[in-house]
Amino acid sequence: MQQDKHPDYHQVVFRDRAAGYAFLTRSTASSDQTIEWDDGETYPVVDVEISSESHPFYTGKARTVDTEGRIAQFERRYGGGKDA
């Protein structure tokens, strides 16, 4: 590997403030803020707006789409369906 070409890859805490969830991983992201983790070490912390703990797809709180209403609307607009 060539020296001084690759970014610094270090341990970082990503924190989802909406869900109150944080996890420790390795990343090239940096931050001026720090947090003391469960192991007693201090790591840079990056606040994120959404993570797997708060995203509707992963939490099962996703919006359901009214497919029957969409089909009826399509048939009214373009014809076809049972009446045709």
Side-chain angles (χ1 to χ4, degrees), residues 68 70-84:
E68 185 177 349
R70 286 185 172 194
I71 293 169
Q73 181 182 4
F74 178 84
E75 289 175 350
R76 280 194 308 272
R77 184 178 292 163
Y78 298 107
K82 297 176 185 175
D83 297 337

Side-chain angles (χ1 to χ4, degrees), residues 3-54:
Q3 297 298 322
D4 300 329
K5 278 217 171 207
H6 301 282
D8 182 32
Y9 188 65
H10 55 276
Q11 291 188 317
V12 178
V13 174
F14 285 94
R15 178 173 52 190
D16 182 354
R17 289 195 172 261
Y21 176 72
F23 59 93
L24 178 65
T25 188
R26 296 183 57 84
S27 176
T28 58
S30 61
S31 175
D32 295 333
Q33 298 178 348
T34 60
I35 189 171
E36 187 173 335
W37 196 243
D38 299 335
D39 61 2
E41 296 290 324
T42 302
Y43 299 104
V45 62
V46 176
D47 290 324
V48 294
E49 293 183 25
I50 199 158
S51 70
S52 61
E53 289 294 313
S54 61

